[in-house]
Amino acid sequence: MHTTALVLFSGGQDSTTCLAHALAAYQRVETIAFDYRQRHSVELDARLNVLQEIRRQYPQWAHKLGEDHLLDLAVLGSVSETSLTRDVAFKMEASGLPNTFVPGRNLLFLTLAAALAYRRDLQVIVTGVCETDFSGYPDCRDDTMKAMQLALSLGMDKRFLIETPLMWIDKAATWRLAKSLGGKALVDLIIEHTHTCYLGDRTHRHAWGYGCGECPACELRARGYERFVQEDAQV
Ligand code: ZN
């Protein structure tokens, strides 16, 4: 029986939905994020605001929500050259992967998360990776997660469960999951306080939240929200 969890929490829509999932399912939940010198620190600010709002608006969750951990991963910025860490435009590479792909990033995140989970005695590692996403990052695939779960459990001699609530659902379903976990208030909280835009734009406010409205992350979030609202009106 699992009662404790560590959520990889970046302050975006997906990881906020994962955090709500963990708070609904487990008794003690901690959060972790990594600072690898992203082009903007907007996400890092967003995550603190989201945590604060969850504590304020959800007293039934607030007492379960424990420590937040921010790990410095500057080294990742020094080995990778991508549009998330360097000032280059987002595009698809010949490999079929977007140039936002940071090789091994998620493997490193999970390894560090497991090391922390070991120390903090947390059983479940929750991450918002998704195979239905446009990006097709190989380190977000279900097989990779299963392999990591096995490697980390063997390598640390401790049974970890890697949980991926968003693996097979699309962005509209992610909004729907948020609503089922925390009602309309959680949907509103995600719109207002989470951040997804690759460009770090917090000046343009749309029905689905803040962002440039044009980068692939904004487009995905906007399209998902539109479909969620349409489907939600029919039930
Ligand atoms: Zn954007």
Side-chain angles (χ1 to χ4, degrees):
M1 174 78 171
H2 298 105
T3 56
T4 57
L6 178 65
V7 180
L8 275 79
F9 175 63
S10 69
Q13 175 190 355
D14 291 348
S15 66
T16 299
T17 307
C18 286
L19 177 58
H21 160 86
L23 287 166
Y26 304 114
Q27 294 310 308
R28 182 163 63 91
V29 176
E30 299 190 7
T31 46
I32 184 172
F34 306 93
D35 185 357
Y36 51 102
R37 308 292 189 268
Q38 293 100 327
R39 277 204 307 203
H40 43 84
S41 58
V42 175
E43 275 205 1
L44 297 178
D45 295 337
R47 59 193 300 285
L48 295 181
N49 293 336
V50 169
L51 289 175
Q52 188 185 334
E53 285 301 314
I54 284 181
R55 285 203 171 88
R56 196 175 66 81
Q57 295 186 39
Y58 293 90
Q60 72 273 35
W61 289 348
H63 72 277
K64 301 177 174 185
L65 186 52
E67 255 183 71
D68 177 44
H69 311 269
L70 182 63
L71 266 58
D72 188 332
L73 260 190
V75 63
L76 193 55
S78 69
V79 296
S80 59
E81 200 165 299
T82 78
S83 70
L84 285 188
T85 51
R86 301 282 295 252
D87 198 16
V88 294
F90 180 94
K91 66 174 174 58
M92 295 302 282
E93 302 279 10
S95 61
L97 289 169
N99 62 348
T100 47
F101 177 58
V102 181
R105 175 175 58 180
N106 214 32
L107 307 180
L108 201 52
F109 286 0
L110 285 166
T111 304
L112 291 167
L116 184 78
Y118 187 102
R119 291 271 173 229
R120 305 286 303 165
D121 201 20
L122 301 164
Q123 304 153 322
V124 184
I125 297 167
V126 185
T127 169
V129 292
C130 173
E131 273 206 23
T132 56
D133 212 334
F134 69 97
S135 57
Y137 294 149
D139 58 349
C140 293
R141 291 176 193 151
D142 194 48
D143 281 351
T144 308
M145 293 303 111
K146 291 195 170 87
M148 283 303 283
Q149 177 174 287
L150 185 62
L152 295 169
S153 295
L154 290 173
M156 298 192 200
D157 197 18
K158 185 182 165 81
R159 281 294 275 253
F160 290 112
L161 177 68
I162 296 183
E163 198 174 40
T164 56
L166 312 183
M167 182 59 80
W168 306 112
I169 66 176
D170 63 16
K171 277 282 188 278
T174 303
W175 286 106
R176 207 151 54 235
L177 176 60
K179 192 180 176 192
S180 75
L181 288 164
K184 187 179 176 298
L186 186 60
V187 172
D188 291 342
L189 187 160
I190 287 171
I191 290 173
E192 200 57 39
H193 297 287
T194 68
H195 186 83
T196 309
C197 175
Y198 280 150
L199 303 182
D201 186 328
R202 295 293 292 177
T203 56
H204 298 91
R205 172 67 154 83
H206 314 265
W208 44 265
Y210 292 90
C212 72
E214 281 159 19
C215 74
C218 279
E219 267 179 30
L220 195 68
R221 177 162 163 155
R223 269 206 312 275
Y225 183 74
E226 214 170 278
R227 258 202 352 275
F228 160 69
V229 170
Q230 278 168 8
E231 291 164 9
D232 201 48
Q234 288 162 9
V235 263

